[in-house]
Amino acid sequence: MRSSEKPEVLLHLEEMLSPVRQLLKAHSLRRTAIREQVLNVFLQRKEAVSQSDLEQALGHPDRITLYRTLRTFEEKGLVHRAIDGTDKLKFALCSSGCSHHKHQDQHAHGHCEHCGRTICMEGVWLPELQSVDGFQVKSTFLIVQGVCSDCGKRIATKK
Amino acid sequence: MRSSEKPEVLLHLEEMLSPVRQLLKAHSLRRTAIREQVLNVFLQRKEAVSQSDLEQALGHPDRITLYRTLRTFEEKGLVHRAIDGTDKLKFALCSSGCSHHKHQDQHAHGHCEHCGRTICMEGVWLPELQSVDGFQVKSTFLIVQGVCSDCGKRIATKK
DNA sequence: CTTATTTTGCAACCACGTTTCATTTTATCA
DNA sequence: TGATAAAATGAAACGTGGTTGCAAAATAAG
């Protein structure tokens, strides 16, 4: 689908409406199909997603390209790694506090042992440590494992 | 090396002295070479170790056997997974509070971004949460990233 | 010392992370 | 709009790690 096939009016509308393109432009990233698709998934879901989540959501695109897309996003400060205690690497959209090399992620991550989703818990604050037994603290992560509210309801109603 | 080649007095001494064999017996596990070796590494280092750490430390034994050894130890409550924010799975010796299926790990884990080691921080306590926005909390993990005291000293003296 | 049970080591498979390189696509500028 | 430089893609290929099944070996029990 080439953009030249669309009337100009529509093009301008799209440019105005698309937060995805704004994000790409703001981080000086070229606009490509997979980047837009990936960003759309990040914007739709508010949770942390793994590469395999994305592969499924996007109908199994080239996995190397997807891999590099995520790494590029991470480098440019669009996403950060969300540590959720699983061995699976997940990413979440950065908030405005993230820059290219310093990511801030001042909230806990809740990992649901039922559905496997990882949600960001904005309300939980992390202990602010500076040094522990000679260990210089640079960042802290709090992982909360349990059952998310959706799964909790589902279990309650089905039983 | 068959034990029958040693005098009986020595045998008794060994039995009395070996915490490794006590651990195995306490968890009704058979005494095998690799299990003793792995436990020795766990007892010597006080940090969390990954499978590849163990492979290196033990001179690359059969990796499947090692893999199953760790899983067995985990099932029997000898070790627990130590979440340190890396994608690499690590294990640490359980304290007395661990049973077969319920592991307690009430301390933070410090991950050194310099040497990659993961140490247990007994002094840092985790926030006790019960429910956050409908999320039922079952366990919490605190990961502290930074520079461990050894690396801190090493950097300070070398520069 | 024999036997039943457990553990080991091997083969084999799949998922994932990662790099290299030729080809394609994008943004830029005339 | 069309040519061009730079960037991104897709294929191939490799390494590591996790996992299972099965026959051989080792262990604990009698």
Side-chain angles (χ1 to χ4, degrees), chain A residues 5-73:
Chain A
E5 286 170 359
K6 296 180 185 176
E8 259 200 44
V9 189
L10 230 168
L11 274 179
H12 286 177
L13 255 179
E14 278 182 3
E15 266 175 36
M16 287 176 61
L17 291 176
S18 161
V20 167
R21 298 192 183 171
Q22 284 178 25
L23 270 174
L24 288 175
K25 193 164 277 182
H27 293 266
S28 52
L29 283 168
R30 293 194 175 187
R31 183 169 76 79
T32 71
I34 201 165
R35 287 178 182 172
E36 294 197 338
Q37 292 171 329
V38 168
L39 279 182
N40 272 321
V41 174
F42 272 115
L43 288 171
Q44 278 163 27
R45 312 190 189 183
K46 294 206 169 177
E47 65 218 23
V49 293
S50 65
Q51 166 143 3
S52 54
D53 291 337
L54 286 165
E55 284 178 5
Q56 226 184 329
L58 301 181
H60 300 277
D62 186 73
R63 73 190 182 94
I64 295 108
T65 305
L66 182 54
Y67 165 79
R68 275 186 291 218
T69 298
L70 287 170
R71 274 187 134 233
T72 304
F73 281 1

Side-chain angles (χ1 to χ4, degrees), chain B residues 79-144:
Chain B
V79 302
H80 61 257
R81 288 162 190 244
I83 296 172
D84 72 349
T86 65
D87 41 1
K88 223 168 198 176
L89 190 53
K90 293 190 181 177
F91 295 90
L93 260 192
C94 282
S95 57
S96 49
C98 293
S99 66
H100 288 220
H101 289 296
K102 187 158 193 174
H103 294 279
Q104 294 219 311
D105 195 21
Q106 297 293 4
H107 54 259
H109 284 125
H111 179 243
C112 178
E113 61 192 24
H114 217 258
C115 62
R117 289 192 305 161
T118 302
I119 60 169
C120 298
M121 294 178 156
E122 303 288 346
V124 181
W125 293 104
L126 311 190
E128 293 197 8
L129 306 167
Q130 296 209 335
S131 169
V132 181
D133 293 336
F135 192 103
Q136 297 166 41
V137 178
K138 299 209 168 173
S139 51
T140 56
F141 302 90
L142 184 64
I143 297 157
V144 178

Side-chain angles (χ1 to χ4, degrees), chain B residues 13 54 124:
Chain B
L13 255 180
L54 286 165
V124 181

Side-chain angles (χ1 to χ4, degrees), chain A residues 121-139:
Chain A
M121 293 179 158
E122 303 289 346
V124 181
W125 293 103
L126 311 189
E128 293 197 10
L129 307 166
Q130 296 208 334
S131 169
V132 182
D133 294 336
F135 191 104
Q136 296 166 42
V137 177
K138 299 210 170 175
S139 50

Side-chain angles (χ1 to χ4, degrees), chain B residues 30-31 51-52 63-64 67-68 71:
Chain B
R30 291 194 176 186
R31 184 169 76 80
Q51 165 142 6
S52 54
R63 73 189 183 93
I64 293 105
Y67 165 78
R68 276 185 290 219
R71 274 187 133 231

Side-chain angles (χ1 to χ4, degrees), chain B residues 28-92:
Chain B
S28 51
L29 284 168
R30 291 194 176 186
R31 184 169 76 80
T32 71
I34 200 165
R35 287 178 182 173
E36 294 197 338
Q37 293 171 326
V38 169
L39 278 182
N40 271 322
V41 174
F42 273 114
L43 288 171
Q44 278 164 26
R45 313 192 189 182
K46 295 206 169 178
E47 64 216 23
V49 293
S50 65
Q51 165 142 6
S52 54
D53 291 337
L54 286 165
E55 284 178 5
Q56 226 183 330
L58 302 181
H60 299 277
D62 186 73
R63 73 189 183 93
I64 293 105
T65 304
L66 181 55
Y67 165 78
R68 276 185 290 219
T69 300
L70 288 171
R71 274 187 133 231
T72 304
F73 282 1
E74 191 190 11
E75 276 171 24
K76 298 278 180 170
L78 266 142
V79 302
H80 61 257
R81 288 162 190 244
I83 296 172
D84 72 349
T86 65
D87 41 1
K88 223 168 198 176
L89 190 53
K90 293 190 181 177
F91 295 90

